[in-house]
Amino acid sequence: MGIETTRDLFIYELGLLHEFEGSGKSALALMAHNVNDGRLKGIVQTESQECVTRQDNITASMKALGSGSTMAVKSDTAKGVYGRFETFLRLRPSPAIADQFAADTIIRFLYLGIAAHKTLVDWAILMGECECAQYLHTNLIQQGQSVANLESFSHELGIKLLGARLPVPGMSV
């Protein structure tokens, strides 16, 4: 199938996003087995479940368009995130450093998803596909909430790693 119209492009990008979420789930499974902090393990498991929910919403978005399925595409972006984490693990980081890198990697993954969803929400609105936009917007809001929570958690991990030796404004070090 050739990509000749904006609708074709939209369906292609939905396919990329669907695959991105599926590949993200694989990356999260790798992280779940390689993080030590119990709270982070819970966050990783929750995010993995949310990948499935986002994939389901993308599928529902396709159905709302009247298209039975996404195009068969591969998301090299999510596979790159997975590979980057796998490569990092080969460096044998300490457990605390591995946890910090995992949290930061998930944040990067979520921001990539946010960027993709923003574009597709805009296109769905421009095409008058309100139901499709609604599903994608739900994903966008969920990802925004997840990234905010993870950024806070990642900051806490960073403080622990630094031993709470943060400079106090106005004091010389």
Side-chain angles (χ1 to χ4, degrees):
M1 174 171 137
I3 298 175
E4 298 176 8
T5 67
T6 53
R7 183 180 177 83
D8 294 341
L9 176 60
F10 184 77
I11 291 169
Y12 177 79
E13 290 205 29
L14 278 175
L16 283 173
L17 190 55
H18 190 272
E19 175 61 24
F20 176 81
E21 294 294 346
S23 295
K25 189 173 181 246
S26 297
L28 289 164
L30 173 65
M31 287 179 203
H33 293 292
N34 290 283
V35 297
N36 299 288
D37 183 277
R39 203 166 131 212
L40 182 56
K41 277 188 187 282
I43 290 170
V44 170
Q45 290 168 346
T46 298
E47 193 53 43
S48 181
Q49 293 166 350
E50 289 174 354
C51 281
V52 172
T53 300
R54 288 191 298 266
Q55 273 191 309
D56 290 346
N57 284 342
I58 294 164
T59 300
S61 180
M62 292 299 297
K63 288 180 182 171
L65 283 170
S67 178
S69 64
T70 60
M71 289 183 173
V73 294
K74 293 193 184 219
S75 174
D76 294 329
T77 305
K79 288 184 186 353
V81 171
Y82 179 93
R84 183 177 175 190
F85 187 75
E86 200 172 41
T87 299
F88 180 76
L89 290 177
R90 284 190 217 116
L91 299 173
R92 295 190 206 138
S94 70
I97 296 296
D99 287 352
Q100 183 70 60
F101 191 80
D104 294 344
T105 297
I106 298 167
I107 290 168
R108 285 186 283 277
F109 171 76
L110 287 168
Y111 272 120
L112 289 169
I114 287 169
H117 274 87
K118 280 184 175 184
T119 302
L120 292 177
V121 167
D122 186 50
W123 268 103
I125 291 168
L126 290 172
M127 292 177 1
E129 297 290 348
C130 296
E131 188 177 356
C132 180
Q134 201 171 17
Y135 286 115
L136 295 171
H137 190 259
T138 297
N139 284 356
L140 181 60
I141 295 300
Q142 183 277 315
Q143 285 177 313
Q145 291 167 340
S146 289
V147 82
N149 292 336
L150 258 163
E151 284 177 335
S152 176
F153 180 78
S154 178
H155 181 75
E156 289 174 27
L157 284 177
I159 289 171
K160 286 179 190 174
L161 282 172
L162 294 171
R165 291 178 282 143
L166 299 176
V168 177
M171 293 185 70
S172 60
V173 179

